[in-house]
Amino acid sequence: MHKAREYVRAGRRWVVDLDLQKFFDRVNHDVLMSRLVRRIKDQRILRLIRRYLQAGMMANGLATARREGTPQGGPLSPLLSNILLDELDKELERRGHKFCRYADDSNIYVQSRSAGERVMKSISRFLEGRLRLKVNAEKSAVARPWERKFLGYSLTWHREARLKVAASSGQRLKEKLREIFRRGRGRNVGRLIEAELTPLLRGWMNYFRLAEVKGIFDELDSWIRRKLRCLIWRQWQRTAARVKGLMKRGLADAQARKSATNGRGPWWNAGASHMNAAFPKSYFDRCGLLSLLEQRHRLQLAS
């Protein structure tokens, strides 16, 4: 991702975003084996790989032979795909292109839209003619780098471009968290944080540790705390329980009663001043809630 950022900073402010159509389902066995023969001399290994590629698959209860593609989820498939697409890397290097590739995701950085359109056409012809792979025209595009995402990241539009978390990556995290919060109704907040939120948030933050724009982390931290306050408000259910809960958290009797009887819904109350006062950030820190913003800071200091 740092390479992508540097290409954009160097003036290559257009990207050819290539998406290969059903890549793992469309890998041509003969083309792949011909590339393997160049590297592997042991015929026993070659026969074993061919049998792996042709292993039968179940369809409507019947086993059918595999004529193309690699078994998805198999430990060997990513390696074989990289061996096949290594030829694409060599072709791009031969042409002098600046690019980033991870598995079947490729971004080629160019200086103009017209250059990008030429590269798109010529590389599509190369992939279809030499490797028998088809480019997905609907998902591929020539666009500005900040309009596209690569491996969950995107870039800012500034001349000194910076890495950021793509908006769709933030939305996917929210979807996963919503499912956890739905399952967490009725559970102890501390145990929910420890058992389900912390592993997910730590893994997500470790992946996006390269992001240089911090706004999304602050926004997600606030959203997560509000969802937890919403969960607490729902758990109280009755007005009396809400009055008691707010008073236990330090609110005066009159304020607690007024807040508990405001007639608003859980999400509104979760963002209101009384719930923020009763359950500030420090409360969730003590519960062990991982702050994405603070974790980002720690990871960047350690790197």
Side-chain angles (χ1 to χ4, degrees):
M1 290 309 304
H2 285 310
K3 287 174 63 178
R5 180 194 61 188
E6 295 310 314
Y7 294 153
V8 175
R9 286 182 175 181
R12 296 177 179 269
R13 297 174 70 82
W14 289 87
V15 63
V16 181
D17 188 355
L18 286 175
D19 183 87
L20 298 179
Q21 192 172 57
K22 297 182 179 179
F23 173 71
F24 287 99
D25 293 332
R26 297 283 178 84
V27 170
N28 184 281
H29 291 176
D30 292 333
V31 173
L32 174 57
M33 292 304 300
S34 70
R35 273 55 180 179
L36 290 172
V37 166
R38 299 173 188 173
R39 295 172 168 81
I40 302 172
K41 302 306 178 185
D42 192 324
Q43 293 298 315
R44 294 171 300 173
I45 295 177
L46 291 171
R47 284 195 296 270
L48 186 62
I49 293 174
R50 172 71 81 166
R51 291 172 66 180
Y52 168 81
L53 291 171
Q54 295 178 336
M57 54 185 176
M58 296 297 293
N60 299 321
L62 299 174
T64 58
R66 188 189 301 274
R67 301 185 182 278
E68 62 179 358
T70 61
Q72 291 199 35
L76 197 56
S77 294
L79 174 61
L80 295 176
S81 66
N82 270 324
I83 290 172
L84 179 62
L85 289 175
D86 182 62
E87 192 161 340
L88 170 62
D89 295 346
K90 296 294 192 293
E91 179 66 15
L92 292 172
E93 290 171 357
R94 186 185 68 80
R95 298 185 187 191
H97 290 310
K98 303 297 183 183
F99 68 96
C100 297
R101 182 181 70 79
Y102 183 85
D104 58 328
D105 290 329
S106 300
N107 277 1
I108 307 167
Y109 296 87
V110 296
Q111 293 180 327
S112 66
R113 176 183 284 278
S114 58
E117 290 171 349
R118 288 195 301 272
V119 170
M120 175 73 81
K121 290 178 182 177
S122 62
I123 293 300
S124 295
R125 286 197 299 269
F126 171 82
L127 288 167
E128 293 176 14
R130 185 76 66 85
L131 302 180
R132 300 188 192 177
L133 296 171
K134 187 173 179 59
V135 173
N136 188 330
E138 292 182 1
K139 294 185 178 180
S140 300
V142 177
R144 295 292 195 177
W146 48 88
E147 296 172 351
R148 309 295 290 181
K149 63 181 179 67
F150 182 61
L151 304 179
Y153 283 88
S154 187
L155 289 160
T156 64
W157 56 269
H158 305 89
R159 183 168 295 278
E160 290 296 312
R162 294 188 297 163
L163 289 173
K164 66 177 185 177
V165 178
S168 57
S169 299
Q171 287 301 315
R172 279 197 294 274
L173 176 63
K174 283 187 174 183
E175 290 169 8
K176 292 179 181 178
L177 289 168
R178 285 189 182 99
E179 180 58 33
I180 290 175
F181 290 130
R182 277 194 291 270
R183 295 198 305 266
R185 294 177 182 176
R187 292 180 60 185
N188 176 273
V189 170
R191 286 196 287 270
L192 178 68
I193 289 172
E194 180 183 5
E196 300 207 47
L197 292 187
T198 297
L200 174 61
L201 296 176
R202 179 169 285 121
W204 191 86
M205 192 62 249
N206 283 341
Y207 181 81
F208 286 107
R209 65 192 299 171
L210 300 178
E212 297 165 299
V213 178
K214 64 181 183 179
I216 189 171
F217 304 119
D218 194 21
E219 186 269 327
L220 284 169
D221 279 341
S222 297
W223 183 85
I224 291 167
R225 290 194 296 269
R226 185 168 179 177
K227 290 293 287 186
L228 287 168
R229 294 186 189 106
C230 186
L231 190 66
I232 294 168
W233 187 266
R234 288 180 183 277
Q235 288 177 348
W236 283 340
Q237 293 185 337
R238 298 179 182 277
T239 300
R242 290 169 181 168
V243 173
K244 183 179 179 181
L246 290 171
M247 291 178 64
K248 187 177 180 181
R249 293 296 307 158
L251 270 67
D253 180 88
Q255 185 184 5
R257 291 184 184 280
K258 181 179 178 181
S259 300
T261 57
N262 60 39
R264 301 277 189 163
W267 181 246
W268 186 92
N269 277 283
S273 59
H274 53 273
M275 284 297 282
N276 277 273
F279 298 95
K281 179 181 180 298
S282 57
Y283 170 84
F284 296 111
D285 289 342
R286 290 193 297 274
C287 289
L289 179 64
L290 184 76
S291 166
L292 295 174
L293 190 61
E294 292 172 4
Q295 179 71 358
R296 169 185 176 272
H297 182 65
R298 285 193 291 269
L299 290 171
Q300 293 190 343
L301 285 177
S303 62

